[in-house]
Amino acid sequence: MSFYTSLTGLNSATAQLAVTSNNIANVGTSGFKRSRADFGDIFSTSPLQKSSSNIGQGVSLKQVSQEFSQGNISTSGNSLDLAITGDGFFPLKTPDGLQDIYTRNGSFTLNDQNNVVNSTGQRLMAASVDSSGKADLTDLNALTIPPKTSGEAVETTQIQLGLNLPADSAVITADFDRTNPSTYNKSTALTVYDSGGNGYLATVYYAKTQNASQDQTPPSSKWQTYFFVGDTQVKPALQQATDKVGGALFVNKYGDVLPKSDPRVIPSSGTTEMFSLDQLTDVRRSSPATAVGAALNTTTSTVYFNGVLAESINTAANPPTAVPMQANKALNFSIKVDGAPATAQAISYTTKAGDETPDVLARNLEIAINNVLGSLDDTQDNTATADVNEFRKNARFGITVAFDPDTARFSIASGSTGDSSSIEVVSPNADAAKFLGLSGTGLKVDASPTDAVRGKPSEPAVLRGETMTINTTKTITTSSANKDFFVSVDGYAFKVELPFPTPYTNIDSFAKALQDSINAKTDPATGRKVSGVSVSFDPKTKQLVFTTGTTGENSAIQVTGSADWGLANTEMQFGSTSEWKKLTQFTENGALQFVKNGVQTEDATGLSTQTEWWPVYLDRGELSFDLTGKPISPLTGMPFETAFLAGGKGALTMSIDFTKSTQYSSAFAVLSQSQDGAPEGELMGLNIGVDGLVNATYSNGSQVSLGKIVLANFSSPSGLRQVGDASYLASATSGVAKIGEAGSAGFGSIRAGATERANVDLTQELVDLITAQRNFQANAKAIETSSTMTTAIINIRS
């Protein structure tokens, strides 16, 4: 048996020698894992044998197992070379797609179908990803690296141009001609793309049309743009003006421009008149409703002669003579202003010395009218609800009477301005008709609820005192130190002295007492009563607020008094006459223009008659800048009409964003330039992250996530079945492959541009080789010894 025992030793030594030789031979094989021969002794016995006296029968090769320890990482110049640091295998598919292969050898290339494959054509599998790079591990496909972005060309729709247009550029008045550089100041060029990725040269020309001047509101410089795609001019589209945050602007009949977000704006619908933002330049002062009498001339019994009102004239005299209007003439008529009160109020004025001068009569008559209308009490609107205190304010203030010597006409104007003002002068007696030019049927100017005629209401003078120093939550008491107030209202100055010591229940009752004292004053020089001044208390700021009954720039008020009331350091405050802008409908080639569904047209069909707010538009293709060089308009992209490409190659609809442009004194410069179109791109670079995410960069600037390389792992990797080329098949021993993302738990990370070297330690293999050689020699020696002993036994017989 020793022969057979030694023979098994020779076989095991040979097997160990073979395994070691194989390891040494694959030192340069990427991803190779060294093998190890596992042996076991042979021992057999029967149940009746004494085991302690049995001798072993040799050795047998149990298995050749692999050691999956980490190999060294070697860098390379190929971005498709991949190395795994840690646990895991690259999942592959055979070329026929029927069998799953697993390997640590990450040397990959592209085949003719742009699939990532190894040297034997097996394809690397990767998971599909979404836009955020998240992998779908249930959807594995062969990783493909397309050499170009086929079908991913992007049509140009938006262009961004940030320019500096020189502020000192000359204004050009000549008609634009792109072939004549003297008809424009500057130009820029860029490439735009159609949906097929074909490029076209686009050129934008800039001609300065206006310098800023003090006559403008607001002052601005203007440039006109001209846009060409190839040799085809593309006209700017209709563009609604916007505010700084992009809100569409609308205009009302008074030229007030507000964004759509303002609750007062009710956007129009259907067909509307077209208005241009640049044409809102007809600024007018709001005016009152004015009733103008008939001219006093020689055709009537009353004449305006040599600066006086005359009852008659002697034309036979040389020179002609006249009889001036006498005193004690009763001028009677009724007047209603701004619709209140409901019935016209009777005015009765008796002329006095000096009234034959028209200006004097006008001034005295004005005082008489205001004294009557300013003293009217409020009336209850609805008598059925007497406990609700619904009152209609009847008092009217600031009525003016004037005489125009050029036309010899008297006029009476309402104290308020705007289209809500109205005036009606009726029932004049004979002398009022004779000396004031009031016709028998009277004079009437109605309010204008729809059309803009006289503008908007003007503002009164408002005086706010300083913060009061006294406690306003308790009873208010005047004293000798704070009882005096010095008041000036519309040119009449006087002193108000409140009684003292007088307690007031609260600050509001004190304000009412002060208000009544002010309005009770009468100018002794003219007889004009002070009326309409309101005094209130602002509890938030602890200030007294004085407001005149009159409005407009001729209104004024000042009240000074003790610091207790916050009136020690007040200044004269003035009212203001409002302004408005007369709208002028936009015309083109002499024809009025309308807008229907956002399209400019001359067709007025379906014109809305209920519109109160109209969209306001910018001049097509115009850029404007303020005095600081910042853009005024447009504040959003400038749209252009559809550009039809030559040769029937399609069409482009684009807009240009000039919002980053400036107008400074420096030279013309392109500060920024971009467009969102792109041709098909060639592959420029490939990046594979440690998590296996594959990103490709193309020449058109696009970056595409092509997939995520995943890893496979097994519960028992040593049970994998070798199939050559450092590849393995799953077996029952290894278990089913588990797929996961690189870097996650149980899986190593991926390093691109590197490969994993074999984990063979050459020194150890050489030692193992010597060991196998010694084992073989020893077993051979055992056979030789056994043979010698056998020969000796045979020779005993001899």
Side-chain angles (χ1 to χ4, degrees):
M1 291 297 294
S2 59
F3 279 103
Y4 297 102
T5 301
S6 298
L7 182 59
T8 61
L10 286 176
N11 290 334
S12 66
T14 301
Q16 184 177 5
L17 184 63
V19 170
T20 303
S21 298
N22 182 63
N23 289 342
I24 295 173
N26 283 283
V27 166
T29 302
S30 296
F32 177 80
K33 299 302 177 183
R34 73 180 297 272
S35 300
R36 184 185 71 230
D38 296 330
F39 299 97
D41 62 329
I42 302 173
F43 186 88
S44 63
T45 181
S46 66
L48 299 179
Q49 286 181 309
K50 186 178 180 180
S51 61
S52 60
S53 62
N54 283 346
I55 301 173
Q57 298 175 9
V59 64
S60 65
L61 178 64
K62 298 298 182 183
Q63 68 177 3
V64 177
S65 60
Q66 301 225 266
E67 296 180 358
F68 287 96
S69 60
Q70 180 71 47
N72 293 329
I73 302 299
S74 176
T75 59
S76 70
N78 180 14
S79 60
L80 289 179
D81 282 346
L82 304 174
I84 300 174
T85 303
D87 296 333
F89 298 83
F90 294 115
L92 307 173
K93 278 279 189 186
T94 55
D96 58 11
L98 299 178
Q99 197 169 36
D100 293 319
I101 306 293
Y102 306 95
T103 185
R104 297 274 298 192
N105 184 356
S107 298
F108 296 107
T109 57
L110 289 179
N111 64 7
D112 58 350
Q113 297 177 347
N114 301 315
N115 297 138
V116 178
V117 298
N118 62 8
S119 59
T120 60
Q122 297 165 346
R123 293 175 294 175
L124 176 64
M125 305 303 290
S128 61
V129 294
D130 59 17
S131 58
S132 65
K134 183 178 180 180
D136 182 2
L137 299 180
T138 64
D139 183 19
L140 300 184
N141 299 283
L143 179 60
T144 301
I145 311 294
K148 62 187 302 183
T149 58
S150 178
E152 294 187 8
V154 179
E155 179 179 334
T156 300
T157 59
Q158 295 180 347
I159 300 171
Q160 190 275 322
L161 282 174
L163 312 169
N164 181 65
L165 298 170
D168 57 356
S169 295
V171 172
I172 294 178
T173 58
D175 292 338
F176 172 75
D177 180 0
R178 67 180 303 202
T179 63
N180 183 1
S182 65
T183 61
Y184 58 89
N185 299 89
K186 300 294 179 181
S187 66
T188 54
L190 70 161
T191 303
V192 296
Y193 299 92
D194 63 15
S195 58
N198 301 308
Y200 304 87
L201 180 65
T203 308
V204 187
Y205 299 88
Y206 311 93
K208 192 173 188 180
T209 58
Q210 174 182 291
N211 284 322
S213 70
Q214 61 182 4
D215 298 331
Q216 303 163 1
T217 306
S220 63
S221 298
K222 297 182 179 180
W223 294 72
Q224 186 64 38
T225 61
Y226 304 91
F227 184 39
F228 284 78
V229 175
D231 294 327
T232 303
Q233 183 173 5
V234 187
K235 295 183 178 180
L238 191 63
Q239 183 177 14
Q240 190 170 351
T242 62
D243 60 10
K244 293 183 178 180
V245 295
L249 294 179
F250 291 79
V251 63
N252 66 3
K253 62 182 179 180
Y254 298 120
D256 297 327
V257 178
L258 295 175
K260 184 180 179 180
S261 58
D262 192 289
R264 291 170 289 180
V265 175
I266 302 175
S268 57
S269 60
T271 303
T272 63
E273 296 91 338
M274 179 177 172
F275 296 105
S276 169
L277 186 65
D278 279 355
Q279 290 185 336
L280 299 179
T281 57
D282 187 2
V283 180
R284 303 186 179 188
R285 291 167 58 85
S286 297
S287 58
T290 304
V292 181
L296 307 179
N297 52 48
T298 56
T299 62
T300 65
S301 58
T302 303
V303 296
Y304 172 57
F305 183 78
N306 289 339
V308 298
L309 296 175
E311 294 197 48
S312 62
I313 184 172
N314 181 6
T315 56
N318 187 18
T321 60
V323 178
M325 181 187 71
Q326 303 298 309
N328 299 316
K329 294 284 185 180
L331 306 181
N332 300 329
F333 55 90
S334 295
I335 186 170
K336 181 165 62 174
V337 177
D338 297 344
T343 57
Q345 294 297 299
I347 303 296
S348 180
Y349 176 73
T350 302
T351 61
K352 53 190 176 182
D355 281 345
E356 68 274 8
T357 302
D359 289 339
V360 175
L361 176 60
R363 182 174 64 253
N364 291 334
L365 189 60
E366 176 180 300
I367 293 172
I369 295 173
N370 280 291
N371 285 346
V372 172
L373 296 187
S375 303
L376 297 178
D377 293 330
D378 296 343
T379 56
Q380 191 153 2
D381 281 348
N382 187 354
T383 57
T385 57
D387 58 330
V388 182
N389 294 327
E390 295 177 343
F391 289 96
R392 177 174 182 175
K393 295 185 178 299
N394 291 321
R396 293 295 180 265
F397 315 101
I399 291 86
T400 59
V401 180
F403 180 78
D404 185 350
D406 294 331
T407 61
R409 294 174 184 268
F410 280 96
S411 62
I412 305 176
S414 63
S416 61
T417 64
D419 291 322
S420 61
S421 64
S422 63
I423 191 168
E424 187 175 0
V425 181
V426 296
S427 304
N429 65 358
D431 284 337
K434 178 178 181 180
F435 293 107
L436 299 178
L438 304 180
S439 64
T441 58
L443 305 173
K444 184 178 181 181
V445 178
D446 292 325
S448 178
T450 56
D451 297 331
V453 178
R454 294 184 293 276
K456 301 180 293 184
S458 296
E459 299 297 325
V462 179
L463 170 68
R464 299 183 71 92
E466 298 175 331
T467 301
M468 295 176 63
T469 60
I470 62 174
N471 188 346
T472 59
T473 62
K474 298 181 179 180
T475 301
I476 305 298
T477 304
T478 55
S479 66
S480 60
N482 61 20
K483 64 181 178 61
D484 296 329
F485 299 86
F486 299 91
V487 183
S488 175
V489 179
D490 298 341
Y492 171 40
F494 52 91
K495 178 182 177 181
V496 170
E497 181 178 339
L498 293 181
F500 76 96
T502 303
Y504 296 93
T505 305
N506 51 43
I507 188 64
D508 291 328
S509 61
F510 166 79
K512 179 65 167 57
L514 180 57
Q515 173 181 301
D516 293 343
S517 297
I518 292 175
N519 288 324
K521 292 293 184 178
T522 300
D523 186 352
T526 62
R528 176 169 68 89
K529 296 179 180 179
V530 176
S531 58
V533 175
S534 67
V535 182
S536 61
F537 177 73
D538 187 341
K540 293 182 179 180
T541 61
K542 292 187 64 177
Q543 294 173 327
L544 287 173
V545 181
F546 300 83
T547 306
T548 59
T550 56
T551 62
E553 61 188 10
N554 292 326
S555 299
I557 189 168
Q558 183 178 17
V559 181
T560 58
S562 171
D564 291 348
W565 318 117
L567 302 175
N569 299 300
T570 60
E571 299 288 342
M572 182 75 73
Q573 300 298 315
F574 300 92
S576 62
T577 300
S578 62
E579 293 183 340
W580 60 291
K581 297 175 182 177
K582 180 69 175 177
L583 297 185
T584 302
Q585 189 173 349
F586 187 79
T587 61
E588 193 168 272
N589 298 324
L592 293 174
Q593 299 297 297
F594 302 86
V595 178
K596 181 182 294 185
N597 298 327
V599 178
Q600 182 177 341
T601 178
E602 295 180 8
D603 183 10
T605 304
L607 182 65
S608 173
T609 58
Q610 303 299 320
T611 302
E612 295 183 359
W613 290 89
W614 294 265
V616 59
Y617 297 93
L618 299 174
D619 285 356
R620 297 191 185 213
E622 186 178 83
L623 304 177
S624 60
F625 300 88
D626 62 19
L627 295 177
T628 66
K630 300 296 180 61
I632 298 176
S633 66
L635 297 176
T636 58
M638 180 187 295
F640 285 82
E641 296 179 353
T642 300
F644 293 93
L645 303 174
K649 295 181 180 179
L652 292 174
T653 302
M654 296 169 286
S655 66
I656 302 180
D657 183 0
F658 289 104
T659 58
K660 294 183 180 179
S661 296
T662 58
Q663 183 191 253
Y664 297 145
S665 58
S666 54
F668 175 80
V670 179
L671 307 176
S672 60
Q673 176 178 302
S674 64
Q675 51 86 34
D676 61 353
E680 293 182 351
E682 300 290 339
L683 182 64
M684 297 293 291
L686 191 68
N687 178 62
I688 302 177
V690 294
D691 60 349
L693 184 62
V694 181
N695 288 309
T697 303
Y698 294 90
S699 59
N700 61 3
S702 62
Q703 293 186 346
V704 183
S705 295
L706 302 176
K708 180 173 281 190
I709 299 171
V710 295
L711 298 179
N713 207 353
F714 300 87
S715 57
S716 178
S718 60
L720 292 172
R721 177 185 170 190
Q722 296 188 67
V723 292
D725 296 316
S727 300
Y728 306 89
L729 294 175
S731 68
T733 305
S734 66
V736 179
K738 295 179 292 184
I739 303 299
E741 296 186 40
S744 61
F747 297 91
S749 59
I750 294 176
R751 182 173 176 183
T755 56
E756 182 184 7
R757 299 178 63 86
N759 64 346
V760 176
D761 185 349
L762 195 56
T763 301
Q764 179 182 344
E765 300 302 330
L766 292 176
V767 171
D768 289 346
L769 192 63
I770 294 172
T771 302
Q773 177 189 5
R774 296 303 183 190
N775 288 343
F776 188 93
Q777 289 175 342
N779 281 284
K781 188 65 175 179
I783 292 176
E784 180 184 354
T785 302
S786 179
S787 176
T788 302
M789 292 175 63
T790 302
T791 301
I793 293 171
I794 292 174
N795 290 336
I796 292 175
R797 184 179 179 181
S798 301

